[in-house]
Amino acid sequence: MKKLFALVIALGLLFSCAALAEEAPEATEFVPSWADQVPEGEVYTTLAWDECLAQFSDAVALTEIFDEYTFESGDEAVGTITYYVYDPTQHGYDPEGSYPVSVWFHGGGNGSDGRLAIFESGAAGMASEKSQADVGGMYIICPLGNELMRYTLGQASLESVHTIVTNVIEDNHITGPVLIAGTSAGGLMCDYYAEAYHDELAGIFWMSTTIPDAETVQAYSDEGIKMWFEVGLHDETNAFYNSFPDGDTSAHEAVENFELTVFEWIRWGDKTIASLNVGMEFAQHCSCVQVNRNLIFDDGTPDDPTHPDGVSGWFRDVINAAR
């Protein structure tokens, strides 16, 4: 199933939301593909892409406080990689302190969106004052896929991305731990990165993607790596069933350091069911968008009651456990 999911991405069926929105035809009415499955009494709210960005304007604005860098890979198949770094010492944290780092991998095609890919990966919200306070300050790295990679990070860029991470660690006040996060195709990049460099990791956060089998997850757990996978049952790319073909999650959930959150519906901050019109319905796959609000609803309650402090609370706990 992972190979099938990767093939879908390679065929270009998972596009940048921004690119899809630019090509979306005018429509008098938009009906989500799953509209007939919405329970009686529930409400869905459809937003166009520009409306979504307006709703998350605070998170989108945070992308501007990331510094931009480039890395020359020396590999003709990889070329120059643009990457963004949030440095907590530039935003009120002790320049002499020591900090963890998280690396966020965007979804298929989002590398073409430049700085906006920080938001599209779910990382922008982690640079908020609240999230940074939760973790005590944390560096954030967001590498981008380029045209040579069809704007999607993958195995070809793995060594270069690892070098970027290593360079950021060595050039700054980072003592670890190291966490990685990825959405959609970026979740597959998490899989590749963890397979190669699991001995360097403290945590893995997957969003709406295909995760490794239970045996691999158990091996990571045995090394002390904490893992969280969040996914929606109505994901338009079928991400839940790509990871659990028969719907049975028991083998994964039996792993000590693995947590699974399966949302019946991905929701906006006002708790209405999320619908996103980018020429096709994509909101139930784009749970990463909601991560920018830390998976905390507008009224202060969590999307997932088992994570009352949201994503930043989970990162905090993983960081504290690793120190």
Side-chain angles (χ1 to χ4, degrees), residues 95-209:
E96 300 304 318
S98 59
Y99 302 97
V101 61
S102 60
V103 187
W104 293 69
F105 301 124
H106 62 73
N110 289 146
S112 65
D113 295 336
R115 189 175 290 272
L116 188 58
I118 302 170
F119 169 79
E120 292 167 334
S121 72
M126 289 301 293
S128 71
E129 185 175 339
K130 171 64 166 62
S131 291
Q132 284 293 308
D134 281 347
V135 298
M138 178 175 68
Y139 281 82
I140 305 171
I141 306 172
C142 296
L144 268 57
N146 58 32
E147 184 176 9
L148 293 172
M149 314 169 202
R150 298 184 181 181
Y151 298 106
T152 304
L153 295 166
Q155 286 179 309
S157 59
L158 182 59
E159 184 177 348
S160 294
V161 169
H162 181 255
T163 300
I164 289 170
V165 174
T166 300
N167 290 346
V168 173
I169 290 173
E170 292 178 349
D171 293 343
N172 295 279
H173 301 272
I174 300 173
T175 57
V178 179
L179 301 90
I180 58 174
T183 181
S184 191
L188 296 180
M189 185 62 176
C190 278
D191 297 349
Y192 304 143
Y193 198 97
E195 182 178 8
Y197 308 112
H198 51 87
D199 58 322
E200 301 175 10
L201 300 178
I204 306 171
F205 177 46
W206 289 286
M207 299 163 276
S208 303
T209 189

Side-chain angles (χ1 to χ4, degrees), residues 49-323:
W49 182 237
D50 59 347
E51 293 173 321
C52 173
L53 295 180
Q55 184 174 113
F56 285 87
S57 58
D58 289 347
V60 173
L62 288 170
T63 66
E64 297 297 329
I65 66 176
F66 284 67
D67 297 316
E68 181 177 317
Y69 301 90
T70 57
F71 174 77
E72 300 294 339
S73 70
D75 184 338
E76 292 184 357
V78 175
T80 302
I81 296 178
T82 297
Y83 64 100
Y84 297 94
V85 178
Y86 170 85
D87 179 348
T89 69
Q90 295 182 11
H91 301 281
Y93 286 85
D94 185 0
E96 300 304 318
S98 59
Y99 302 97
V101 61
S102 60
V103 187
W104 293 69
F105 301 124
H106 62 73
N110 289 146
S112 65
D113 295 336
R115 189 175 290 272
L116 188 58
I118 302 170
F119 169 79
E120 292 167 334
S121 72
M126 289 301 293
S128 71
E129 185 175 339
K130 171 64 166 62
S131 291
Q132 284 293 308
D134 281 347
V135 298
M138 178 175 68
Y139 281 82
I140 305 171
I141 306 172
C142 296
L144 268 57
N146 58 32
E147 184 176 9
L148 293 172
M149 314 169 202
R150 298 184 181 181
Y151 298 106
T152 304
L153 295 166
Q155 286 179 309
S157 59
L158 182 59
E159 184 177 348
S160 294
V161 169
H162 181 255
T163 300
I164 289 170
V165 174
T166 300
N167 290 346
V168 173
I169 290 173
E170 292 178 349
D171 293 343
N172 295 279
H173 301 272
I174 300 173
T175 57
V178 179
L179 301 90
I180 58 174
T183 181
S184 191
L188 296 180
M189 185 62 176
C190 278
D191 297 349
Y192 304 143
Y193 198 97
E195 182 178 8
Y197 308 112
H198 51 87
D199 58 322
E200 301 175 10
L201 300 178
I204 306 171
F205 177 46
W206 289 286
M207 299 163 276
S208 303
T209 189
T210 304
I211 64 172
D213 59 31
E215 182 178 357
T216 301
V217 168
Q218 180 66 63
Y220 292 160
S221 176
D222 291 344
E223 295 179 17
I225 298 174
K226 311 289 187 184
M227 294 158 283
W228 182 14
F229 177 34
E230 62 90 359
V231 63
L233 272 182
H234 292 85
D235 184 305
E236 291 85 5
T237 71
N238 217 29
F240 173 81
Y241 290 101
N242 286 330
S243 292
F244 311 109
D246 58 2
D248 183 4
T249 64
S250 59
H252 281 79
E253 292 192 274
V255 177
E256 179 180 2
N257 288 318
F258 176 82
E259 297 179 64
L260 174 65
T261 299
V262 181
F263 294 112
E264 178 71 21
W265 295 100
I266 303 298
R267 299 176 183 271
W268 298 119
D270 64 2
K271 297 187 177 180
T272 59
I273 294 171
S275 168
L276 186 59
N277 178 6
V278 291
M280 59 186 288
E281 179 57 62
F282 226 42
Q284 295 300 303
H285 179 59
C286 293
S287 61
C288 51
V289 170
Q290 312 303 332
V291 169
N292 285 291
R293 59 174 175 79
N294 205 27
L295 293 183
I296 300 293
F297 290 120
D298 297 344
D299 65 3
T301 58
D303 292 47
D304 177 1
T306 68
H307 291 92
D309 296 324
V311 179
S312 61
W314 182 79
F315 272 70
R316 175 200 62 214
D317 294 344
V318 173
I319 291 164
N320 289 340
R323 283 177 165 167

